[in-house]
Amino acid sequence: MPEIASQTLEFVGRELNATLGEARTALENYVEQPTNVALLERCATDLHQVQGVLRLLEIYGAALLAEEMEHVARYLLATAGERKSQAESLDALMRAMVQLPGYLERVLAGGRDLALVLLPLLNDLRAVRGNALLSEGTLLLLNLKSDKQAQPLPAQAGEAGLTIEQHARKLRARFQVGLIGWIRGERIEQNLESLSGVSHKLEQIATRQPVFQLWWVVGAVIEALQEGGLEGGVSVKRQIGRAHV
């Protein structure tokens, strides 16, 4: 069964990449033929199709990006006669065309669906249309979730009999030192790695779903910070600081 599921995902991934390739080609051709709005319509239609498949697969970060891309394509269609914000819109849309396939490939290979990594690009796509920008908090509420159930790993040598609470007490100091150091901007990579290690450990040993969900989300945010897709602004620091070990 896992082999079948893997083959299915591989097939779906190829189909999605092919459709995204067609959308990108249509957009590139439109840049060369700005009077041919049928190319924009083709691009928007392809992006709508991609978005639908991504939502069925429950890859919500990628689906959100595809949705914003479609909105920009349709905005270009609606304003084709005015040439309103066209250069900025085309630039943002083309950058998204380049980034989405790589993001999708990582998720289909087993990576987390980290909508926060896409936040700057999502906001660029919204800004060219004059829409309100998304915040880190919004994506935390809407797009960071795990459909997995808590499946605690067996205790390792020397850990027999420890409860999640006892593990948390052992890890509290490490988490707090890493958090304070990161907030102060000291040894950022090392402190993020420390926070990542604690969150990953607690995610692995959680026996209750709310605890598992909390540390899955914390781990996802930290991963986004480590990958450079998310800036450690005040709101993000506040969110991480609310996670109590």
Side-chain angles (χ1 to χ4, degrees), residues 101-112:
Y103 178 88
L104 184 57
E105 180 180 359
R106 184 179 63 81
V107 174
L108 290 174
R112 298 185 199 240

Side-chain angles (χ1 to χ4, degrees), residues 70-81:
E70 181 191 351
H71 287 326
V72 171
R74 297 203 180 280
Y75 173 78
L76 283 165
L77 264 173
T79 59

